[in-house]
Structures are given as structure tokens and as C-alpha cells.
Amino acid sequence: MIENKVTEKKLVYTVTIPIRWGDMDAMGHVNNTVYFQYMEQARIEWLSMMGCMPDENGNGPVIVNAYCTFKKPLKYPGQVEVCTYIGAAGRSSFETMQEMRSVGDGYALYAEGGAKVVWVAAENGKSIALPDAIKQKLSEIKTAGKRKTLTSS
């Protein structure tokens, strides 16, 4: 399983997202696809803040896999806190992990997931080395402060 490959993570971004009525499905809880939208929103906000958006040539980040483990069903009305963490960076990629917690339920863990972000060339869609500025930012984040392990409490 993907989660087992990452042994350390570092909190990099937290956002609170309102649960919308339209997020629910016929079962009366947030549809499973919406969890991926919550993670995407948090990931894109963080990437944008980091300057990890496509460059003038269109080279930039894409995800090559995404996963989610559902612990409890989120329901409307409410708010979900999405905590974004990063793991190890490679030549052309880095791991993101996310926790989704219910604000109205004492921040209980409702789901966890993540995605592997790969830097790709726009011209052919193939992976290329992370830009030096991005590598530097990721390195600074990973070495700043205490690292948190994947074991949830």
C-alpha cells in the first residue's frame, strides 16, 4: 500500500472547507469523490503558495496517483479541516499526504489520503527534474522543526 512507503511527514498547510449540501450523495453523506476534491483544493492552494505552479513553458506539477481511506462519513452541515503534509522528495516528484477532520466533532479523523506529485514537461508529458527552487523549498520545509510520523493518534 502507498502509505507504507512514507515513514515521515511534515505538516505544511491546513485549510477549513465548508461541507456543501451538494457534496452529499443519496446515502446522506459526503460522496466519496468529493473527498478527493477537498484534498485537491488544499493541495492546489498549498502548491500555489509555494510557487509550484506551471512555469512559462507549461512545465509543472501533475499527480500520478491519488488514494483515500474513509474512516467515518462526513455530513452536511459542517466543516472539514484538511491538513496537508509532505513526505520525501525524489528527482522529479514528492509525496503529499492529507488528513480530513470534522471541525464539529472535536477534529476527529474522518479520512486520510494523498497523492504523488510529479513535475512534467508540457511538450511530452514526461517527468523532468524538480526545479532547483522547488527542491530548495521542499528541503527547507522538511528540515525545519520536528518531523511527524505517519502513525495516527
Side-chain angles (χ1 to χ4, degrees):
M1 195 169 201
I2 294 169
E3 296 101 325
N4 293 335
K5 292 182 179 180
V6 182
T7 58
E8 295 182 341
K9 65 182 183 178
K10 174 76 176 175
L11 180 64
V12 293
Y13 186 69
T14 300
V15 63
T16 300
I17 301 170
I19 298 170
R20 302 168 303 174
W21 174 259
D23 292 346
M24 295 194 318
D25 60 18
M27 298 299 292
H29 53 72
V30 171
N31 184 276
N32 61 326
T33 62
V34 177
Y35 288 76
F36 287 94
Q37 293 172 0
Y38 295 156
M39 289 189 289
E40 175 186 55
Q41 180 177 337
R43 186 176 55 253
I44 294 298
E45 287 179 15
W46 174 71
L47 287 170
S48 181
M49 287 175 32
M50 288 286 297
C52 291
M53 299 310 285
D55 64 20
E56 65 278 354
N57 299 317
N59 301 333
V62 298
I63 61 170
V64 295
N65 68 34
Y67 62 94
C68 187
T69 301
F70 306 96
K71 306 277 187 184
K72 296 167 130 180
L74 288 165
K75 296 182 180 182
Y76 175 89
Q79 295 182 320
V80 59
E81 180 184 80
V82 183
C83 297
T84 301
Y85 301 83
I86 60 168
R91 181 192 74 82
S92 63
S93 67
F94 57 92
E95 296 284 342
T96 63
M97 293 77 62
Q98 292 169 302
E99 296 174 346
M100 287 163 275
R101 298 178 178 276
S102 174
V103 173
D105 188 16
Y107 294 89
L109 182 64
Y110 273 61
E112 54 191 352
K116 185 172 188 175
V117 178
V118 176
W119 207 264
V120 299
E123 65 188 38
N124 61 14
K126 295 191 186 248
S127 68
I128 56 175
L130 289 167
D132 289 338
I134 303 300
K135 280 188 213 177
Q136 180 65 32
K137 287 178 184 178
L138 293 173
S139 177
E140 288 170 5
I141 289 169
K142 286 295 287 179
T143 57
K146 184 180 174 186
R147 294 183 178 180
K148 184 176 179 180
T149 63
L150 267 181
T151 310
S152 53
S153 47

